[in-house]
Amino acid sequence: MNVRIEESWKTRLQEEFDKPYFANLTQFVRNEYASGVVYPPGNEMFAAFDACPFEQVRVVILGQDPYHEPGQAHGLCFSVNDGVQFPPSLVNIFKEIESDMGKPMPRSGNLMRWAQQGVLLLNATLTVRAHQAGSHQNKGWETFTDAVIRRLALEREHIVFILWGSYAQRKGAFIDRNRHCVLQSPHPSPLSAYRGFFGNKHFSSANNYLVQHGYKPIEW
């Protein structure tokens, strides 16, 4: 199957695109876009990959679903377009950055600026039906994004994997902790942020690890 995605990813993931599950997933997603409102816009489905080629990945932040309300999702986990009100989880992420790094709350919730520095902002499920969280789960996306994480974990070294919440932690359980840095804490959602997300210092910890291994720190 010919999938429009950044070339370095396309080369490594072509075997996934050629598998029967991906053909079934593609048909499901096409039908969903044709029959109702689905986020993100179709041309932004692979935006996280297009913004962050395989060899440039320094950090992976793993989300679950795209945002499912109008104007929010644009293909990067936790990120929203310029001018869109910050969802609660993103507010808490910025609060932790302010506490950890001393950086004030930004005006824009668009995290493309992170992606362009090598932060892969990957949702486990890349599409969602409007107003229906989890509506595209268990259709094949998780198999695909597992393959993405596996490729990075096996072919690269010294990546920082940031896993917030039990779902992300299960998905990243196989990552070799001797080869990569894995940072885990509760999720930044209002339901769990005060149980250990706040104060996790993941942003400074990620930068310290990157610098130790000869990479530039991320401008969070």
Side-chain angles (χ1 to χ4, degrees):
M1 183 175 293
N2 185 27
V3 175
R4 283 183 289 179
I5 192 172
E6 194 277 330
E7 194 59 36
S8 67
W9 286 107
K10 185 171 186 176
T11 301
R12 289 171 174 85
L13 297 172
Q14 188 60 53
E15 63 185 74
E16 295 301 311
F17 300 144
D18 290 338
K19 289 178 180 177
Y21 87 84
F22 200 86
N24 294 335
L25 170 63
T26 300
Q27 191 58 53
F28 167 78
V29 170
R30 280 181 182 151
N31 291 342
E32 287 285 287
Y33 275 97
S35 61
V37 178
V38 174
Y39 300 124
N43 64 347
E44 294 180 323
M45 196 182 305
F46 295 111
F49 301 92
D50 295 336
C52 191
F54 184 86
E55 293 296 343
Q56 294 179 23
V57 176
R58 301 281 175 262
V59 178
V60 177
I61 298 179
L62 189 59
Q64 190 164 352
D65 259 7
Y67 295 125
H68 54 266
E69 296 302 327
Q72 294 180 320
H74 65 120
L76 311 179
C77 75
F78 295 108
S79 179
V80 292
N81 283 302
D82 294 333
V84 175
Q85 182 177 355
F86 301 170
S89 291
L90 186 57
V91 171
N92 288 339
I93 288 169
F94 288 146
K95 283 181 179 178
E96 177 57 25
I97 290 172
E98 185 169 19
S99 170
D100 185 16
M101 308 289 293
K103 294 186 176 240
M105 186 83 63
R107 291 182 178 178
S108 171
N110 190 328
L111 303 182
M112 183 61 76
R113 60 187 182 273
W114 295 2
Q116 291 169 343
Q117 298 176 74
V119 182
L120 181 66
L121 294 159
L122 180 66
N123 275 314
T125 303
L126 299 190
T127 55
V128 69
R129 203 175 296 152
H131 317 302
Q132 296 183 44
S135 50
H136 286 188
Q137 290 177 5
N138 303 315
K139 303 296 184 182
W141 278 129
E142 296 90 344
T143 302
F144 172 70
T145 50
D146 281 351
V148 170
I149 297 167
R150 193 170 292 109
R151 275 283 171 139
L152 286 166
L154 293 176
E155 294 187 23
R156 296 282 311 283
E157 290 186 329
H158 308 313
I159 290 176
V160 180
F161 289 89
I162 296 179
L163 309 177
W164 294 326
S166 58
Y167 180 89
Q169 288 159 23
R170 287 194 301 272
K171 195 170 178 71
F174 67 88
I175 297 166
D176 185 346
R177 270 65 171 169
N178 295 315
R179 190 180 178 114
H180 302 284
C181 174
V182 178
L183 302 175
Q184 299 187 163
S185 82
H187 195 275
S189 78
L191 295 173
S192 55
Y194 287 96
R195 298 181 196 153
F197 175 79
F198 288 134
N200 66 23
K201 298 192 179 300
H202 280 180
F203 302 97
S204 60
S205 297
N207 278 354
N208 290 340
Y209 181 87
L210 291 174
V211 170
Q212 286 170 14
H213 291 91
Y215 298 117
K216 284 184 179 179
I218 305 297
E219 283 290 329
W220 300 107

